[in-house]
């Protein structure tokens, strides 16, 4: 009995290109003529060293990462980076200023940026010299994010004392994505969580002090996070807040991301996905495809008498398309019908409800077309 083809709209861990999975399958028992699986290789071996070097080189090439940036592979997901960036960038600022008062600014536009700010609040209780400032909230109340206040209303801290400005480039839960890089004072390091739109379109790395994201949306399986940061922000472990070695960027950089055993299989899989991404025309090529997919889906929503998107058009995500029907019963009926058609993981986040179609890099355009066709069929059945 053949396995039915599944259309996986999951928000993460998310769909991985079929050709990548097939390549990994073919190499599973004997990687690079080693007689072993890549999962069995020593991370200190020359064979894995080639994997690590290749993956890092592909990131640098596809994103045009400048030479004065470090590429790190870390564990714990993007959530761990909430703490790591606080510890390290506060240390960098305190190294510059001494132990004077330091600010960290957070642009809060959805669930993940709010969680990041909450973690900064918690860590700041043990570091009274650090003040956490929320630059902006969404125009709407928490839990109902769908728009972003104009930048003219943002309240930044004193740039001379600000360790960094943080924002989440794409809010996975609320379907809110920036289509531009926010402008900040050039003296202040700009940090972005790009977990759910990592390498989905071209981005100018030089505008950022630090970019980070978990791999499990666009770049591979859960278990590895990627940090891209300016080398001048690497700070001695004895400066600033006391931080665990595993969260110290300089320790990771000095040891080529191998202070301890890294997530070897995850790094290998990211490398395979990056090879696939290069075949799609790199970030320029995949960016065009992603725009086409999202435009089609939003047009179907906006022209529908049944479906609606709660996100302001200027901030609609190309990766996570959230929408609803007029009531929860219809939402449930739509989701039940979708599952009967092997369209899975379309249920909205537990805090939001509704419907969410995650259409990351690996989602083919024809599968978005199939979703749209089902939406029209569902509309007609309720007419």
């Amino acid at each position: 009995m053949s396995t039915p083809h599944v259309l996986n709209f999951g928000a993460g861990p998310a769909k991985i290109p079929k050709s990548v999975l097939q390549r990994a399958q073919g190499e599973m028992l004997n990687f690079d003529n080693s007689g072993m699986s890549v999962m069995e290789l020593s991370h200190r071996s020359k064979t894995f060293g080639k994997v690590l070097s290749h993956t890092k080189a592909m990131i640098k090439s596809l994103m045009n990462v400048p030479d004065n940036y470090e590429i790190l592979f870390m564990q714990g997901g993007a959530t761990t980076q909430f703490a790591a960036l606080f510890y390290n960038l506060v240390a960098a600022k305190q190294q510059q200023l001494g132990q004077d008062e330091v600010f960290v600014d957070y642009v809060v536009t959805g669930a993940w940026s709010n969680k990041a700010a909450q973690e900064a609040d918690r860590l700041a209780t043990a570091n009274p010299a650090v003040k956490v400032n929320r630059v902006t909230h969404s125009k709407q109340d928490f839990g109902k994010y769908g728009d972003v206040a104009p930048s003219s209303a943002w309240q930044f801290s004193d740039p001379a004392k600000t360790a960094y400005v943080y924002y989440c480039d794409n809010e996975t839960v609320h379907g809110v994505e920036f289509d531009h890089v926010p402008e900040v004072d050039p003296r202040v390091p700009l940090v972005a969580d790009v977990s759910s739109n990592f390498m989905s379109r071209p981005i100018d790395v030089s505008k950022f002090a630090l970019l980070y994201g978990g791999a499990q949306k666009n770049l591979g399986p859960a278990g590895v996070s990627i940090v891209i940061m300016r080398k001048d922000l690497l700070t001695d472990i004895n400066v600033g807040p006391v931080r665990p070695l595993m969260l110290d960027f300089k320790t990771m950089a000095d040891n080529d991301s191998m202070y301890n055993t890294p997530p070897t299989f995850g790094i290998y899989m990211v490398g395979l996905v990056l090879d696939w991404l290069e075949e799609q025309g790199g970030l320029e090529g995949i960016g065009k495809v992603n725009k086409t997919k999202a435009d089609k889906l939003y047009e179907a929503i906006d022209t529908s008498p049944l479906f609606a998107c709660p996100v302001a058009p200027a901030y609609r995500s190309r990766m996570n398309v959230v929408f609803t029907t007029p009531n929860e019963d219809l939402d449930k009926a739509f989701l039940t019908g979708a599952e009967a058609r092997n369209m899975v993981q379309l249920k909205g986040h537990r805090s939001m409800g509704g419907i969410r179609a995650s259409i990351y890099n690996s989602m083919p355009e024809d599968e978005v077309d199939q979703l749209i066709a089902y939406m029209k069929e569902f509309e007609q059945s309720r007419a």
Side-chain angles (χ1 to χ4, degrees), residues 4 90 105 121-122 140 156 211 214 241 245 279 289 306-307 326 331:
V90 165
D105 282 2
D121 286 335
R122 194 181 68 83
Q140 303 178 28
F156 291 107
L211 295 161
L245 285 173
E279 293 169 1
V289 172
L306 190 66
F307 299 105
D331 287 351

Side-chain angles (χ1 to χ4, degrees), residues 130-148:
V130 184
K131 309 300 178 185
V132 181
N133 171 44
R134 285 164 173 76
V135 171
T136 181
H137 287 278
S138 167
K139 287 181 181 177
Q140 303 178 28
D141 295 333
F142 173 64
K144 298 179 181 179
Y145 295 105
D147 203 348
V148 179

Side-chain angles (χ1 to χ4, degrees), residues 27 29-38 40-41 47:
E27 297 177 341
L29 300 180
N30 180 21
F31 175 72
D32 197 26
N33 294 317
S34 65
M36 295 181 286
S37 169
V38 71
E40 300 173 298
L41 293 172
T47 305

Side-chain angles (χ1 to χ4, degrees), residues 34-198:
S34 65
M36 295 181 286
S37 169
V38 71
M39 289 186 284
E40 300 173 298
L41 293 172
S42 166
H43 59 294
R44 305 293 182 189
S45 67
K46 290 182 179 179
T47 305
F48 181 73
K50 290 191 292 183
V51 171
L52 183 67
S53 295
H54 170 73
T55 306
K56 187 181 291 188
M58 288 300 293
I59 293 171
K60 185 176 177 65
S61 173
L62 286 165
M63 296 186 72
N64 294 314
V65 178
D67 291 338
N68 63 321
Y69 283 70
E70 193 72 54
I71 299 171
L72 307 175
F73 299 96
M74 299 182 71
Q75 303 179 55
T79 305
T80 298
Q81 297 308 315
F82 294 167
L85 74 92
F86 177 96
Y87 285 134
N88 287 270
L89 271 63
V90 165
K93 193 64 178 178
Q94 289 186 333
Q95 180 172 263
Q96 176 188 350
L97 297 179
Q99 295 301 313
D100 292 341
E101 187 176 62
V102 169
F103 293 91
V104 292
D105 282 2
Y106 282 79
V107 180
V108 178
T109 56
W112 287 110
S113 51
N114 186 59
K115 285 179 181 290
Q118 288 176 332
E119 178 71 340
D121 286 335
R122 194 181 68 83
L123 296 174
T125 61
N127 298 276
V130 184
K131 309 300 178 185
V132 181
N133 171 44
R134 285 164 173 76
V135 171
T136 181
H137 287 278
S138 167
K139 287 181 181 177
Q140 303 178 28
D141 295 333
F142 173 64
K144 298 179 181 179
Y145 295 105
D147 203 348
V148 179
S151 57
S152 59
W154 295 8
Q155 299 295 315
F156 291 107
S157 302
D158 179 355
K161 294 185 176 183
T162 303
Y164 59 87
V165 172
Y166 160 98
Y167 80 106
C168 182
D169 201 41
N170 185 72
E171 293 278 6
T172 319
V173 173
H174 291 91
V176 173
E177 181 177 22
F178 282 81
D179 67 351
H180 62 280
V181 178
E183 291 189 12
V184 300
D185 189 289
R187 292 171 290 177
V188 180
L190 180 63
V191 173
D193 179 345
V194 295
S195 292
S196 51
N197 61 356
F198 217 156

Side-chain angles (χ1 to χ4, degrees), residues 18-29 265 268-269 272:
K18 183 178 180 180
S19 61
V20 169
L21 295 175
Q22 290 172 330
R23 181 177 170 187
Q25 181 183 47
E27 297 177 341
M28 182 62 68
L29 300 180
F265 185 72
Y268 157 75
M269 286 296 294
L272 297 191

